[in-house]
Amino acid sequence: MTETETLEATNTKKVEEEEDSDDDEDYPRWIRSIRSKTGLETAIEIDWPSSSQTLTLSTCMEPDDIAPMFDGTQWAGTRVWRSSIVATQYLLAHHHEQSDQTLLELGCGLGVPGMILHALRGWKVVLTDKDPLPKQLENNSKTNFGEEVYGAQIQAHELDWSRDGVQELMKKQYFSSQQFDFVVNCDCVYEPLYGESWKLLVETMDELLRINPQTVMITSLERRKADGVDKFLKALEQSDHISKVERLDFETDWPEVQLYRVYGCL
Ligand SMILES: C[S@@+](CC[C@H](N)C(=O)[O-])C[C@H]1O[C@@H](n2cnc3c(N)ncnc32)[C@H](O)[C@@H]1O
């Protein structure tokens, strides 16, 4: 490689890194990273503008769970991604139903939409992700809302996307209703990190809409280079139990985040 080619390659990499960077400076002022004296992040604090409650979400894993975190991609589930903030803003702006609504979050990471909708609307929420994240979600739910609320109004479960996984989740006793009024997933499609797991996400969303075609299903996506999102959207449109995929018009501080409503077949 010539010196010019090396410089060009370095610059391209830098631009890519800058485009994909998700450091604290990108958070609004009401989201803070809490760090130890050595600079290690231990928690994320969220003062959602319309809420009087500060959410403190520990990002520390149990010692036994740290090794898989470094091997795999689960670390991404201990960040708050822009898509989840935008989806939460959208749900709060457009859905004022109180209390008896149920929300299922897929690939929820720290579970911000579910926790905020519970805090502000009293919705009952089921937060799901791959192991070991549900354990952290359970701890964070108990810390923020109390031991008695966990189980009765907020639950965390493992759901590794698949049709069978949805069936298993549905067999368990959740709240009074076995169906979900709302299903949301945020920033769950990014091929460089998760490969073609979006195909499993499509299967999971299709199964949930087969079970309850009336579910309000929202997918919030951050657009990045070679993200695989166009293939994901096309596959959703071609799914058996999905009648329409509609881009939602919602003003946000992050134009790279796109919101879609996915409709079942009524
Ligand atoms: C970029 S993070 C987004 C986390 C959170 N939704 C947010 O927006 O802050 C992607 C999430 O998808 C989850 N995920 C990836 N593949 C998955 C799969 N096959 N089944 C379930 N969750 C998965 C990851 O564990 C991670 O929490």
Side-chain angles (χ1 to χ4, degrees):
M1 209 187 254
T2 66
E3 207 176 309
T4 321
E5 282 169 340
T6 309
L7 194 66
E8 269 173 12
T10 312
N11 284 343
T12 307
K13 188 164 181 290
K14 221 173 133 205
V15 168
E16 282 171 0
E17 279 170 3
E18 278 167 11
E19 281 182 356
D20 281 350
S21 94
D22 281 292
D23 55 27
D24 302 344
E25 287 161 24
D26 289 335
Y27 285 152
R29 265 176 300 136
W30 39 270
I31 300 187
R32 292 178 298 278
S33 175
I34 307 300
R35 294 181 184 274
S36 69
K37 279 188 191 135
T38 55
L40 190 75
E41 182 179 79
T42 55
I44 293 176
E45 272 187 0
I46 304 181
D47 281 319
W48 194 269
S50 52
S51 173
S52 55
Q53 178 177 3
T54 298
L55 270 190
T56 305
L57 303 176
S58 165
T59 53
C60 297
M61 305 298 293
E62 304 284 325
D64 287 352
D65 295 332
I66 289 173
M69 294 276 291
F70 284 106
D71 287 346
T73 53
Q74 284 101 326
W75 61 269
T78 62
R79 311 292 317 140
V80 176
W81 298 89
R82 299 174 190 118
S83 305
S84 70
I85 300 171
V86 176
T88 309
Q89 290 169 330
Y90 175 82
L91 285 168
L92 287 172
H94 290 271
H95 294 280
H96 299 274
E97 300 92 334
Q98 294 286 341
S99 348
D100 57 348
Q101 301 296 302
T102 51
L103 178 145
L104 169 68
E105 197 178 340
L106 306 170
C108 74
L110 288 174
V112 171
M115 293 209 194
I116 295 289
L117 266 300
H118 173 72
L120 291 176
R121 296 273 190 273
W123 291 7
K124 293 176 175 170
V125 300
V126 174
L127 305 170
T128 66
D129 208 307
K130 283 166 100 160
D131 265 343
L133 293 169
K135 205 190 298 174
Q136 185 186 50
L137 285 160
E138 177 177 341
N139 292 340
N140 280 335
S141 304
K142 287 179 176 168
T143 310
N144 285 282
F145 301 105
E147 297 266 340
E148 65 294 348
V149 168
Y150 185 78
Q153 300 197 39
I154 301 187
Q155 298 179 5
H157 292 279
E158 184 196 356
L159 175 56
D160 198 342
W161 303 324
S162 71
R163 233 173 252 285
D164 290 349
V166 173
Q167 297 289 346
E168 285 305 308
L169 191 76
M170 290 301 179
K171 271 189 218 147
K172 297 174 191 161
Q173 181 61 45
Y174 290 112
F175 310 121
S176 51
S177 160
Q178 292 279 354
Q179 299 189 339
F180 292 101
D181 300 303
F182 293 86
V183 172
V184 62
N185 66 78
C186 307
D187 206 359
C188 285
V189 180
Y190 184 45
E191 278 194 351
L193 203 54
Y194 299 117
E196 292 192 329
S197 68
W198 54 262
K199 291 183 177 167
L200 298 170
L201 181 58
V202 170
E203 208 178 282
T204 303
M205 294 165 75
D206 184 73
E207 183 63 11
L208 285 158
L209 285 170
R210 185 189 68 74
I211 294 168
N212 182 13
Q214 293 189 332
T215 295
V216 176
M217 186 175 274
I218 305 291
T219 184
S220 181
L221 299 159
E222 179 163 339
R223 302 307 309 258
R224 306 177 178 95
K225 271 196 210 99
D227 51 22
V229 163
D230 292 333
K231 287 184 273 178
F232 165 70
L233 293 171
K234 196 164 178 203
L236 279 178
E237 278 166 358
Q238 292 171 347
S239 290
D240 289 348
H241 305 98
I242 292 173
S243 61
K244 188 164 80 162
V245 179
E246 178 186 47
R247 172 104 185 253
L248 297 170
D249 186 13
F250 184 63
E251 206 172 302
T252 145
D253 290 342
W254 297 298
E256 65 275 28
V257 176
Q258 298 179 350
L259 285 178
Y260 292 84
R261 166 98 188 255
V262 183
Y263 292 86
C265 302
L266 290 171

PDB file of all heavy atoms in Angstrom, residues 162-164 166-167 202-212 241:
ATOM      1  N   SER A 162     -37.108 -16.457  18.127  1.00  0.00           N
ATOM      2  CA  SER A 162     -37.556 -17.598  17.302  1.00  0.00           C
ATOM      3  C   SER A 162     -39.055 -17.747  17.523  1.00  0.00           C
ATOM      4  O   SER A 162     -39.601 -17.257  18.524  1.00  0.00           O
ATOM      5  CB  SER A 162     -36.862 -18.903  17.696  1.00  0.00           C
ATOM      6  OG  SER A 162     -37.334 -19.345  18.940  1.00  0.00           O
ATOM      7  N   ARG A 163     -39.701 -18.454  16.592  1.00  0.00           N
ATOM      8  CA  ARG A 163     -41.132 -18.729  16.740  1.00  0.00           C
ATOM      9  C   ARG A 163     -41.370 -19.551  18.010  1.00  0.00           C
ATOM     10  O   ARG A 163     -42.253 -19.272  18.801  1.00  0.00           O
ATOM     11  CB  ARG A 163     -41.622 -19.524  15.515  1.00  0.00           C
ATOM     12  CG  ARG A 163     -42.801 -18.908  14.854  1.00  0.00           C
ATOM     13  CD  ARG A 163     -43.127 -19.622  13.564  1.00  0.00           C
ATOM     14  NE  ARG A 163     -42.780 -18.805  12.427  1.00  0.00           N
ATOM     15  CZ  ARG A 163     -43.474 -17.753  12.004  1.00  0.00           C
ATOM     16  NH1 ARG A 163     -44.569 -17.394  12.628  1.00  0.00           N
ATOM     17  NH2 ARG A 163     -43.080 -17.049  10.959  1.00  0.00           N
ATOM     18  N   ASP A 164     -40.500 -20.564  18.216  1.00  0.00           N
ATOM     19  CA  ASP A 164     -40.650 -21.423  19.402  1.00  0.00           C
ATOM     20  C   ASP A 164     -40.447 -20.615  20.679  1.00  0.00           C
ATOM     21  O   ASP A 164     -41.111 -20.848  21.684  1.00  0.00           O
ATOM     22  CB  ASP A 164     -39.625 -22.573  19.384  1.00  0.00           C
ATOM     23  CG  ASP A 164     -39.964 -23.582  18.300  1.00  0.00           C
ATOM     24  OD1 ASP A 164     -41.070 -23.493  17.736  1.00  0.00           O
ATOM     25  OD2 ASP A 164     -39.110 -24.440  18.024  1.00  0.00           O
ATOM     26  N   VAL A 166     -41.198 -17.552  21.181  1.00  0.00           N
ATOM     27  CA  VAL A 166     -42.435 -16.806  21.449  1.00  0.00           C
ATOM     28  C   VAL A 166     -43.462 -17.744  22.081  1.00  0.00           C
ATOM     29  O   VAL A 166     -44.118 -17.393  23.066  1.00  0.00           O
ATOM     30  CB  VAL A 166     -43.007 -16.177  20.150  1.00  0.00           C
ATOM     31  CG1 VAL A 166     -44.371 -15.555  20.392  1.00  0.00           C
ATOM     32  CG2 VAL A 166     -42.045 -15.142  19.588  1.00  0.00           C
ATOM     33  N   GLN A 167     -43.558 -18.958  21.528  1.00  0.00           N
ATOM     34  CA  GLN A 167     -44.525 -19.933  22.076  1.00  0.00           C
ATOM     35  C   GLN A 167     -44.231 -20.206  23.546  1.00  0.00           C
ATOM     36  O   GLN A 167     -45.134 -20.256  24.376  1.00  0.00           O
ATOM     37  CB  GLN A 167     -44.442 -21.263  21.306  1.00  0.00           C
ATOM     38  CG  GLN A 167     -44.814 -21.158  19.838  1.00  0.00           C
ATOM     39  CD  GLN A 167     -46.306 -20.920  19.659  1.00  0.00           C
ATOM     40  OE1 GLN A 167     -47.075 -21.091  20.586  1.00  0.00           O
ATOM     41  NE2 GLN A 167     -46.698 -20.478  18.471  1.00  0.00           N
ATOM     42  N   VAL A 202     -37.663 -11.190  12.422  1.00  0.00           N
ATOM     43  CA  VAL A 202     -38.856 -11.163  11.553  1.00  0.00           C
ATOM     44  C   VAL A 202     -39.799 -12.296  11.952  1.00  0.00           C
ATOM     45  O   VAL A 202     -41.008 -12.098  12.121  1.00  0.00           O
ATOM     46  CB  VAL A 202     -38.449 -11.290  10.060  1.00  0.00           C
ATOM     47  CG1 VAL A 202     -39.676 -11.506   9.179  1.00  0.00           C
ATOM     48  CG2 VAL A 202     -37.678 -10.057   9.601  1.00  0.00           C
ATOM     49  N   GLU A 203     -39.217 -13.495  12.141  1.00  0.00           N
ATOM     50  CA  GLU A 203     -40.012 -14.670  12.544  1.00  0.00           C
ATOM     51  C   GLU A 203     -40.744 -14.399  13.874  1.00  0.00           C
ATOM     52  O   GLU A 203     -41.927 -14.703  14.025  1.00  0.00           O
ATOM     53  CB  GLU A 203     -39.025 -15.818  12.756  1.00  0.00           C
ATOM     54  CG  GLU A 203     -39.550 -17.185  12.530  1.00  0.00           C
ATOM     55  CD  GLU A 203     -38.435 -18.209  12.724  1.00  0.00           C
ATOM     56  OE1 GLU A 203     -37.585 -18.376  11.822  1.00  0.00           O
ATOM     57  OE2 GLU A 203     -38.403 -18.806  13.799  1.00  0.00           O
ATOM     58  N   THR A 204     -40.012 -13.808  14.791  1.00  0.00           N
ATOM     59  CA  THR A 204     -40.556 -13.515  16.123  1.00  0.00           C
ATOM     60  C   THR A 204     -41.700 -12.501  16.028  1.00  0.00           C
ATOM     61  O   THR A 204     -42.753 -12.671  16.650  1.00  0.00           O
ATOM     62  CB  THR A 204     -39.420 -12.970  17.020  1.00  0.00           C
ATOM     63  OG1 THR A 204     -38.389 -13.949  17.041  1.00  0.00           O
ATOM     64  CG2 THR A 204     -39.869 -12.671  18.430  1.00  0.00           C
ATOM     65  N   MET A 205     -41.490 -11.454  15.237  1.00  0.00           N
ATOM     66  CA  MET A 205     -42.524 -10.416  15.091  1.00  0.00           C
ATOM     67  C   MET A 205     -43.749 -10.988  14.378  1.00  0.00           C
ATOM     68  O   MET A 205     -44.892 -10.710  14.751  1.00  0.00           O
ATOM     69  CB  MET A 205     -41.949  -9.216  14.322  1.00  0.00           C
ATOM     70  CG  MET A 205     -40.854  -8.497  15.113  1.00  0.00           C
ATOM     71  SD  MET A 205     -39.852  -7.368  14.106  1.00  0.00           S
ATOM     72  CE  MET A 205     -40.950  -5.993  13.872  1.00  0.00           C
ATOM     73  N   ASP A 206     -43.497 -11.818  13.362  1.00  0.00           N
ATOM     74  CA  ASP A 206     -44.592 -12.435  12.616  1.00  0.00           C
ATOM     75  C   ASP A 206     -45.428 -13.322  13.543  1.00  0.00           C
ATOM     76  O   ASP A 206     -46.664 -13.295  13.507  1.00  0.00           O
ATOM     77  CB  ASP A 206     -44.011 -13.264  11.460  1.00  0.00           C
ATOM     78  CG  ASP A 206     -45.095 -13.846  10.589  1.00  0.00           C
ATOM     79  OD1 ASP A 206     -45.718 -13.090   9.832  1.00  0.00           O
ATOM     80  OD2 ASP A 206     -45.353 -15.071  10.698  1.00  0.00           O
ATOM     81  N   GLU A 207     -44.749 -14.089  14.387  1.00  0.00           N
ATOM     82  CA  GLU A 207     -45.463 -14.991  15.308  1.00  0.00           C
ATOM     83  C   GLU A 207     -46.311 -14.189  16.297  1.00  0.00           C
ATOM     84  O   GLU A 207     -47.436 -14.558  16.610  1.00  0.00           O
ATOM     85  CB  GLU A 207     -44.428 -15.867  16.045  1.00  0.00           C
ATOM     86  CG  GLU A 207     -45.001 -16.893  16.985  1.00  0.00           C
ATOM     87  CD  GLU A 207     -45.872 -17.956  16.293  1.00  0.00           C
ATOM     88  OE1 GLU A 207     -45.865 -18.030  15.050  1.00  0.00           O
ATOM     89  OE2 GLU A 207     -46.567 -18.686  17.018  1.00  0.00           O
ATOM     90  N   LEU A 208     -45.746 -13.087  16.797  1.00  0.00           N
ATOM     91  CA  LEU A 208     -46.498 -12.266  17.754  1.00  0.00           C
ATOM     92  C   LEU A 208     -47.740 -11.661  17.096  1.00  0.00           C
ATOM     93  O   LEU A 208     -48.791 -11.559  17.721  1.00  0.00           O
ATOM     94  CB  LEU A 208     -45.589 -11.182  18.336  1.00  0.00           C
ATOM     95  CG  LEU A 208     -44.578 -11.707  19.364  1.00  0.00           C
ATOM     96  CD1 LEU A 208     -43.395 -10.759  19.507  1.00  0.00           C
ATOM     97  CD2 LEU A 208     -45.253 -11.922  20.728  1.00  0.00           C
ATOM     98  N   LEU A 209     -47.629 -11.293  15.821  1.00  0.00           N
ATOM     99  CA  LEU A 209     -48.796 -10.738  15.132  1.00  0.00           C
ATOM    100  C   LEU A 209     -49.773 -11.828  14.714  1.00  0.00           C
ATOM    101  O   LEU A 209     -50.964 -11.572  14.555  1.00  0.00           O
ATOM    102  CB  LEU A 209     -48.361  -9.896  13.926  1.00  0.00           C
ATOM    103  CG  LEU A 209     -47.794  -8.529  14.315  1.00  0.00           C
ATOM    104  CD1 LEU A 209     -47.166  -7.834  13.120  1.00  0.00           C
ATOM    105  CD2 LEU A 209     -48.866  -7.625  14.931  1.00  0.00           C
ATOM    106  N   ARG A 210     -49.284 -13.066  14.550  1.00  0.00           N
ATOM    107  CA  ARG A 210     -50.209 -14.181  14.304  1.00  0.00           C
ATOM    108  C   ARG A 210     -51.082 -14.374  15.549  1.00  0.00           C
ATOM    109  O   ARG A 210     -52.291 -14.512  15.465  1.00  0.00           O
ATOM    110  CB  ARG A 210     -49.415 -15.473  14.016  1.00  0.00           C
ATOM    111  CG  ARG A 210     -50.306 -16.645  13.620  1.00  0.00           C
ATOM    112  CD  ARG A 210     -49.545 -17.952  13.553  1.00  0.00           C
ATOM    113  NE  ARG A 210     -49.100 -18.424  14.854  1.00  0.00           N
ATOM    114  CZ  ARG A 210     -49.881 -18.968  15.786  1.00  0.00           C
ATOM    115  NH1 ARG A 210     -51.157 -19.127  15.548  1.00  0.00           N
ATOM    116  NH2 ARG A 210     -49.388 -19.360  16.954  1.00  0.00           N
ATOM    117  N   ILE A 211     -50.423 -14.329  16.722  1.00  0.00           N
ATOM    118  CA  ILE A 211     -51.139 -14.543  17.979  1.00  0.00           C
ATOM    119  C   ILE A 211     -52.109 -13.393  18.265  1.00  0.00           C
ATOM    120  O   ILE A 211     -53.229 -13.606  18.673  1.00  0.00           O
ATOM    121  CB  ILE A 211     -50.122 -14.717  19.133  1.00  0.00           C
ATOM    122  CG1 ILE A 211     -49.328 -16.019  18.905  1.00  0.00           C
ATOM    123  CG2 ILE A 211     -50.808 -14.721  20.504  1.00  0.00           C
ATOM    124  CD1 ILE A 211     -48.114 -16.177  19.792  1.00  0.00           C
ATOM    125  N   ASN A 212     -51.675 -12.181  18.051  1.00  0.00           N
ATOM    126  CA  ASN A 212     -52.552 -11.020  18.263  1.00  0.00           C
ATOM    127  C   ASN A 212     -52.354  -9.984  17.147  1.00  0.00           C
ATOM    128  O   ASN A 212     -51.483  -9.109  17.252  1.00  0.00           O
ATOM    129  CB  ASN A 212     -52.275 -10.376  19.628  1.00  0.00           C
ATOM    130  CG  ASN A 212     -53.206  -9.199  19.873  1.00  0.00           C
ATOM    131  OD1 ASN A 212     -54.193  -9.014  19.158  1.00  0.00           O
ATOM    132  ND2 ASN A 212     -52.893  -8.395  20.881  1.00  0.00           N
ATOM    133  N   HIS A 241     -48.060 -13.125   8.375  1.00  0.00           N
ATOM    134  CA  HIS A 241     -49.052 -12.509   9.270  1.00  0.00           C
ATOM    135  C   HIS A 241     -48.873 -10.998   9.402  1.00  0.00           C
ATOM    136  O   HIS A 241     -49.313 -10.390  10.372  1.00  0.00           O
ATOM    137  CB  HIS A 241     -49.011 -13.200  10.643  1.00  0.00           C
ATOM    138  CG  HIS A 241     -49.205 -14.679  10.514  1.00  0.00           C
ATOM    139  ND1 HIS A 241     -48.156 -15.563  10.510  1.00  0.00           N
ATOM    140  CD2 HIS A 241     -50.328 -15.405  10.297  1.00  0.00           C
ATOM    141  CE1 HIS A 241     -48.628 -16.784  10.323  1.00  0.00           C
ATOM    142  NE2 HIS A 241     -49.931 -16.718  10.195  1.00  0.00           N
TER     143      HIS A 241
END
